[in-house]
Amino acid sequence: MRFELTTDQQDFAGSLEALLAAADTVAVARAWAAGDHAPGLRLWQRLADQGVTALLVPEDADGMGATPVELAVAFEALGRHAVPGPWVEAAAYLATELSGEARAAVAAGRVVTVAVPPHTPYALDADAAEIVYLAGSDGVRTASAGEPRTSVDRTRRLFPVTPGPVHDTADRAQEAFDLAVLATSAQLLGAGERVLADAVTYVKQRKQFGREIGSYQAIKHKLADVRIALDFARPLVSGAALDPTPRAVSAAKVACSDAAYLASRTGLQVHGAIGYTEEFDLSIWITRIRALVTAWGTPAFHRARILETLRSA
Amino acid sequence: MDLHLSESESAFQAEAWAWLAANVPAEPLPSLDTPDGFRLHQEWEARLAAARWSVVSWPAAYHGRDASLVEWVVFEEEYYRAGAPLRVSQNGIFLLAPIIFEHGTPEQQDRFLPTMATGERIWAQCWSEPEAGSDLASLRSTARRDDARGGWVLNGQKIWCSRAALAHWGFGLFRSDPEAQKHAGLTYFLFPLDADGVTVRPIAQLDGEAGFAEVFFDDVFVPDADVLGAPGDGWRVAMSTAGNERGLSLRSPGRFTAAADRLLALYDERPDPRVADRVVDAWLKAEAYRLYTWGTVTRLREGGDIGAAGSVNKVWWSELDVALHETALDLLGADAELASAWLDGYTFSLSGPIYAGTNEIQRNIIAERILGLPREPKGAQR
């Protein structure tokens, strides 16, 4: 029993953190939102070089053969830095559900995306992807993208898709979905941590009525509640990463959605009007969190799934 | 990262479960805050001790099993899963014993620990005073030096002393140096509750039972042998108990995972889709607490300490406990107001956000010590 990251896992987290901290990911996200994919695709390739797209692919299929724990570590970092792109779709869902050469291409860093109705009805960032897929009960098909829909998160470009021919699949749709849920949870956790950290920094320097607003108990207690919520969402992510059962990943998704959403609401509240502006970077995380709360299954869906597994146990 | 128990830990778990399954009373005991319930709980403690399950983490010399922290958590999970009674000796075992192990003399350890393990002597905690609740350092009860008799003379009043109505001995802080600063000049005393000059006045709780009491001290003599730690060092000595109480030891995850399981069983009996999400949240938060505890255990085992994270823990379990029981009462519908184990548990849970430092105090600690936010200026709030 050792319920903490191993040294190797910590080193992996550290190297991703260093890469992303130096990558001006806010500028990357803003460019992506404006339709300029070039900086985002360069970052995609650098992260693929670190193995992020190959984590779930076995070594004998040219992947990293890593575990869902490393997946969670990577997606927490992607969330903390608001990295744009179809990461969950490629590195979690398709890396699990595709087989053969298509899967090896994902591992190597090809940008791909997928729609998985009903929970993920649109293909995220299909305009930036080389291949667009549609996953259904008869497997994974290639698909063509229609006209984009506008997301609350301007870095998420959502496309309806029209199915094409059936493609190679590994028949692991359930597992792929659950790993996508896990990755989304970890991303929410990272985004929540980031909003809390930025809010703490802000309330320590912002003064009203002659003192830092972070010294007021009303502010302190709100931020303490965010700290508590994130601290108890994290072990559910780790637990789900060790054993990604439907119940465990749903628990992680519910807890991370609640905690990150609380972080975003609190972060906005303590920033005041500046936080409400598009120009201020906080807006990127606030809108990302709102989108991820319902992506890959709403909290209501996941709560219902948890209850079902508990009652049939 | 893993959650596997070792072979010996699994064997320990199996042994604990087997004993509990065979020995836990079939019917719940009456409340430990009633004279009958208190006596029956003491008998249960004796039975636990005879099989060396009352204090598994203690040395064998004091009825323990030298169990590791992992084994302790495993035992607690099995204990509550088996539906075993609340621990009438928990003040002693969880709050006082760690202090006696750390600060007590060998003589004190030999004198106080065995009867604590067997439940023969039940301890009351006497922390608060009418003017000092969460702001413990402002307490006023005094200890005056009596060199002639080799000890101290206690005067003053303690309040909200849990278990004091029926317990045998108490522990608490007294101001032994009136000149010293707030936190300095406090001394940690142990005293019999039937000593000359001690008056115990039970206070009925909102459930009607005398779970706590006021204790008045009128020239109560305490010999040097019953001072815990150095005179004047009481604050530092006491703070290690506060950490335990807020953190890991008082509220093991088994309590909540077992209660969440009972809540799910209740939901199966009386399914109500309008309450379903809250049932799920109760289970989910108990599960989060269980996993969080394994993280804490890992950090402690690797040399870390609980520190301010104990405050995060305390807010979480106390609010979870209330939410879990509120959800059960809502499932019970109009029957919720009738006396039941759920109602008892609910009433008990209401004390969680209040005691061991209110949750408002805990949130201040989290904000200041973990998030690094500035303290409120003097005079504004404290």
Side-chain angles (χ1 to χ4, degrees):
Chain A
M1 201 290 302
R2 189 179 179 284
F3 198 54
E4 282 280 284
L5 295 180
T6 63
T7 310
D8 281 351
Q9 287 160 349
Q10 286 172 12
D11 290 348
F12 178 55
S15 70
L16 287 181
E17 187 58 34
L19 187 159
L20 292 171
D24 195 358
T25 52
V26 165
V28 172
R30 289 191 182 284
W32 193 272
D36 173 10
H37 294 136
L41 294 175
R42 279 197 297 275
L43 181 59
W44 182 287
Q45 201 51 56
R46 290 181 63 198
L47 287 163
D49 291 345
Q50 296 283 310
V52 174
T53 53
L55 288 171
L56 295 180
V57 179
E59 283 175 272
D60 60 15
D62 297 327
M64 300 285 286
T67 73
V69 176
E70 282 79 15
L71 184 79
V73 165
F75 274 85
E76 184 184 341
L78 296 176
R80 180 176 290 114
H81 294 277
V83 175
W87 283 99
V88 173
E89 291 68 18
Y93 190 90
L94 289 170
T96 306
E97 172 62 350
L98 289 175
S99 63
E101 281 178 23
R103 190 188 201 194
V106 173
R110 177 177 291 175
V111 183
V112 290
T113 190
V114 66
V116 191
H119 300 298
T120 303
Y122 306 107
L124 177 65
D125 300 320
D127 54 342
E130 284 181 56
I131 308 175
V132 179
Y133 293 98
L134 169 64
S137 53
D138 59 348
V140 179
R141 295 165 177 270
T142 53
S144 50
E147 286 301 305
R149 310 285 297 271
T150 304
S151 165
V152 58
D153 173 1
R154 299 310 162 96
T155 68
R156 285 170 63 86
R157 301 161 65 85
L158 300 170
F159 293 79
V161 295
T162 312
V166 175
H167 206 80
D168 283 347
T169 69
D171 287 330
R172 293 168 66 194
Q174 182 64 53
E175 204 181 335
F177 177 77
D178 288 336
L179 289 165
V181 173
L182 173 66
T184 307
S185 306
Q187 223 178 342
L188 279 161
L189 182 63
E193 289 283 3
R194 174 59 173 264
V195 173
L196 175 60
D198 286 356
V200 165
T201 303
Y202 182 75
V203 303
K204 282 202 254 193
Q205 46 99 359
R206 169 75 172 156
K207 288 188 176 172
Q208 290 279 267
F209 304 105
R211 56 182 166 114
E212 301 90 346
I213 63 171
S215 69
Y216 289 98
Q217 207 172 49
I219 302 267
K220 282 177 166 167
H221 287 195
K222 274 183 178 294
L223 293 171
D225 280 337
V226 177
R227 180 68 274 154
I228 294 166
L230 290 167
D231 275 353
F232 282 90
R234 178 176 297 282
L236 286 170
V237 172
S238 300
L242 282 175
D243 188 11
T245 62
R247 182 197 299 174
V249 300
S250 285
K253 180 70 167 29
V254 169
C256 290
S257 295
D258 284 359
Y261 190 65
L262 181 69
S264 77
R265 289 291 319 276
T266 305
L268 174 57
Q269 191 68 25
V270 304
H271 275 84
I274 186 74
Y276 197 72
T277 62
E278 195 273 338
E279 185 189 349
F280 195 70
D281 292 343
L282 186 69
S283 65
I284 293 172
W285 280 273
I286 288 176
T287 55
R288 173 71 53 87
I289 287 169
R290 184 57 256 178
L292 293 183
V293 163
T294 46
W296 294 99
T298 63
F301 163 77
H302 286 293
R303 282 190 169 92
R305 195 163 75 139
I306 291 167
L307 188 61
E308 198 179 304
T309 65
L310 285 169
R311 296 190 75 193
S312 62
Chain B
M1 175 159 344
D2 79 85
L3 279 166
H4 297 117
L5 296 180
S6 70
E7 241 174 72
S8 68
E9 287 159 355
S10 296
F12 176 88
Q13 181 179 40
E15 191 189 345
W17 175 250
W19 188 87
L20 288 162
N23 286 277
V24 167
E27 290 296 311
L29 302 183
S31 163
L32 52 79
D33 290 326
T34 60
D36 270 359
F38 185 83
R39 183 178 49 78
L40 290 168
H41 277 80
Q42 266 190 288
E43 284 172 16
W44 167 248
E45 294 288 335
R47 196 154 153 198
L48 277 173
R52 290 197 301 132
W53 292 114
S54 72
V55 284
V56 293
S57 59
W58 291 15
Y62 300 126
H63 302 280
R65 290 174 176 251
D66 283 307
S68 69
L69 193 52
V70 171
E71 287 168 333
W72 179 80
V73 176
V74 163
F75 175 75
E76 291 284 304
E77 288 201 57
E78 298 308 318
Y79 187 87
Y80 289 104
R81 191 160 72 91
L86 289 175
R87 303 293 302 271
V88 67
S89 46
Q90 73 173 14
N91 285 331
I93 292 172
F94 295 141
L95 305 183
L96 177 58
I99 304 301
I100 294 184
F101 277 115
E102 194 177 332
H103 300 279
T105 62
E107 186 274 330
Q108 287 174 329
Q109 292 174 353
D110 288 345
R111 194 152 53 95
F112 293 121
L113 294 172
T115 53
M116 189 188 292
T118 59
E120 189 184 332
R121 177 181 288 160
I122 302 298
W123 290 81
Q125 64 159 332
C126 300
W127 284 141
S128 297
E129 294 185 9
E131 300 299 322
S134 291
D135 187 7
L136 197 56
S138 68
L139 48 82
R140 291 174 183 172
S141 292
T142 58
R144 192 181 67 243
R145 185 67 205 157
D146 184 339
D147 279 325
R149 285 193 285 173
W152 299 78
V153 177
L154 307 184
N155 277 286
Q157 179 190 0
K158 297 284 178 180
I159 195 167
W160 319 130
C161 304
S162 52
R163 296 294 91 72
L166 297 164
H168 309 102
W169 274 57
F171 53 93
L173 291 177
F174 289 75
R175 191 163 295 286
S176 52
D177 180 358
E179 307 297 312
Q181 290 285 331
K182 234 175 151 192
H183 289 76
L186 297 173
T187 299
Y188 198 122
F189 289 97
L190 311 177
F191 40 83
L193 289 170
D194 60 358
D196 285 347
V198 171
T199 307
V200 177
R201 185 189 296 164
I203 304 172
Q205 298 177 160
L206 56 79
D207 59 4
E209 287 165 5
F212 44 36
E214 304 181 89
V215 181
F216 297 89
F217 298 83
D218 185 10
D219 284 338
V220 176
F221 177 74
V222 176
D224 286 333
D226 294 345
V227 171
L228 202 46
D233 199 26
W235 179 260
R236 195 180 63 87
V237 171
M239 279 308 96
S240 35
T241 50
N244 281 324
E245 188 179 22
R246 287 167 193 173
L248 189 64
S249 64
L250 188 56
R251 287 292 173 263
S252 51
R255 285 180 67 109
F256 308 108
T257 49
D261 286 346
R262 288 199 299 277
L263 182 63
L264 281 158
L266 181 66
Y267 185 85
D268 273 336
E269 282 167 33
R270 300 172 177 247
D272 182 346
R274 294 165 298 182
V275 187
D277 279 357
R278 287 163 57 208
V279 173
V280 170
D281 282 347
W283 172 84
L284 187 143
K285 288 179 177 183
E287 176 70 359
Y289 188 59
R290 184 180 77 84
L291 291 167
Y292 179 91
T293 301
W294 288 123
T296 306
V297 166
T298 302
R299 286 188 291 280
L300 287 174
R301 207 162 56 170
E302 295 180 359
D305 56 26
I306 293 182
S311 296
V312 175
N313 213 21
K314 197 261 172 173
V315 174
W316 185 262
W317 66 248
S318 60
E319 292 187 348
L320 161 62
D321 204 22
V322 175
L324 209 152
H325 286 89
E326 281 173 345
T327 305
L329 295 187
D330 281 353
L331 282 174
L332 288 169
D335 289 344
E337 71 173 286
L338 302 178
S340 70
W342 279 115
L343 193 60
D344 287 348
Y346 166 74
T347 311
F348 187 72
S349 77
L350 290 181
S351 65
I354 297 166
Y355 76 77
T358 63
N359 284 5
E360 287 69 29
I361 292 287
Q362 310 299 346
R363 286 185 169 91
N364 283 349
I365 293 172
I366 294 163
E368 290 169 10
R369 300 199 203 147
I370 297 179
L371 299 179
L373 297 180
R375 293 177 70 89
E376 241 168 317
K378 291 260 181 213
Q381 180 253 341
R382 31 189 132 219

